[in-house]
Amino acid sequence: MYEVVEPLIELKDVAKSYGKNQVLNNISLKVAKGEVIVLIGPSGCGKSTLLRCLNGLEEIQGGSVLFRNEDLTAKNTDWKKIRQQVGMVFQSYHLFPHMTVMENILLGPTKVQKRTKEEALQQAEALLQRVGLSDKKNAYPRQLSGGQQQRIAIVRALMMNPVVMLFDEVTAALDPEMVKEVLDVMLSLAKEGMTMMIVTHEMSFARAIADRVIFMDSGHICEIGEPQTFFTSPQTPRAQQFLKQFIHNSYN
Ligand SMILES: Nc1ncnc2c1ncn2[C@@H]1O[C@H](COP(=O)(O)OP(=O)(O)OP(=O)(O)O)[C@@H](O)[C@H]1O
Ligand SMILES: [Mg+2]
């Protein structure tokens, strides 16, 4: 296992609880620039909470989170700035129904980043082409399939020029035939060197895209490994047991 020397993101002993329920314990992790981390583990183990701690959607009770050496637990953290740099895509895409695809995509760059429409438009056209949806720019979200809407949600996040992208089960709500088109967009981002943290139940995809796989259980990091090693010979009994349920799942 390699060592990350200059981490883009560093979690040190992060602890998170909801009331008395401690959901993250002793989470320490360094993520390098350009690295793709896949988080897996049973339902309720804390994967979504961990991602949410990285863009200020959750307050932590112990430890620290550093992003480009900036301590995000500091009181004066500029979350508006950080959230532009940390793009997040969820299972549900939440596009505005009354706005066209292009209007949805241009909202963040023009309203939040105060960029000119002309300049943002160029980037939007390029990204839409890249995800194969140039012909949908004037459509409304309800006129798109789930997979198409999710690709638009990814474009919307990329429009902010993030430094890292967080993906939380972005294909979990999609019909099986639409899963691949979304995973392919993520694979192409990884190839371009985007730093990503991905929660997924698509194990073959995890294996194909991850530089490192993190297996979590009950709020702990149980095991960290390179995908080849992790998927062929998981070290902990808990990971071995977890992986058994995915034997028939394939992505190619
Ligand atoms: N807003 C909240 N208030 C109280 N408890 C919460 C809240 N969000 C999550 N939890 C609890 O924190 C724990 C971790 O939840 P989390 O959503 O991070 O799990 P997960 O690994 O993403 O699960 P899944 O695979 O089902 O999405 C769970 O026990 C959950 O019930
Ligand atoms: Mg979750």
Side-chain angles (χ1 to χ4, degrees), residues 178-246:
M178 289 164 196
V179 168
K180 188 173 184 299
E181 66 194 36
V182 174
L183 298 182
D184 283 344
V185 170
M186 292 162 72
L187 267 178
S188 79
L189 282 175
K191 285 200 185 113
E192 275 182 14
M194 176 64 82
T195 310
M196 312 207 273
M197 292 185 72
I198 303 170
V199 174
T200 183
H201 288 298
E202 301 283 339
M203 292 302 135
S204 316
F205 169 69
R207 190 170 178 155
I209 198 167
D211 292 310
R212 284 188 294 166
V213 178
I214 294 188
F215 175 73
M216 290 178 68
D217 190 27
S218 308
H220 292 277
I221 292 181
C222 227
E223 191 164 336
I224 302 186
E226 288 171 31
Q228 197 59 27
T229 320
F230 177 78
F231 286 108
T232 49
S233 49
Q235 301 299 303
T236 55
R238 192 67 193 88
Q240 289 161 8
Q241 183 195 4
F242 177 79
L243 286 175
K244 275 194 190 139
Q245 62 184 306
F246 293 102

Side-chain angles (χ1 to χ4, degrees), residues 10-140:
E10 181 169 8
L11 298 139
K12 289 185 192 170
D13 263 337
V14 168
K16 162 82 198 162
S17 34
Y18 293 107
K20 287 197 177 128
N21 185 16
Q22 180 142 18
V23 297
L24 295 177
N25 278 306
N26 290 113
I27 302 281
S28 292
L29 174 70
K30 293 177 181 176
V31 182
K33 188 168 186 308
E35 198 176 19
V36 178
I37 301 275
V38 171
L39 289 169
I40 62 173
S43 180
C45 73
K47 305 176 297 292
S48 298
T49 306
L50 180 54
L51 289 191
R52 291 160 58 85
C53 289
L54 297 174
N55 71 350
L57 294 173
E58 301 288 354
E59 218 178 297
I60 61 174
Q61 280 74 42
S64 54
V65 179
L66 305 181
F67 177 61
R68 296 172 135 181
N69 290 323
E70 187 181 335
D71 185 354
L72 300 186
T73 47
K75 277 212 168 61
N76 59 353
T77 298
D78 181 354
W79 281 112
K80 192 174 160 197
K81 185 187 89 187
I82 301 293
R83 289 202 186 103
Q84 290 176 47
Q85 298 176 2
V86 181
M88 186 152 182
V89 185
F90 304 89
Q91 182 173 329
S92 50
Y93 9 87
H94 295 308
L95 299 172
F96 288 112
H98 60 289
M99 296 169 88
T100 64
V101 161
M102 188 56 94
E103 287 164 350
N104 267 285
I105 294 173
L106 292 181
L107 198 62
T110 56
K111 289 283 183 285
V112 180
Q113 295 182 324
K114 311 285 182 210
R115 289 158 55 190
T116 66
K117 194 172 168 191
E118 293 65 37
E119 178 264 331
L121 201 59
Q122 273 193 359
Q123 186 184 9
E125 302 269 9
L127 285 172
L128 282 175
Q129 185 168 18
R130 180 179 165 165
V131 303
L133 292 172
S134 294
D135 57 332
K136 300 291 185 194
K137 63 184 172 191
N138 296 318
Y140 286 88

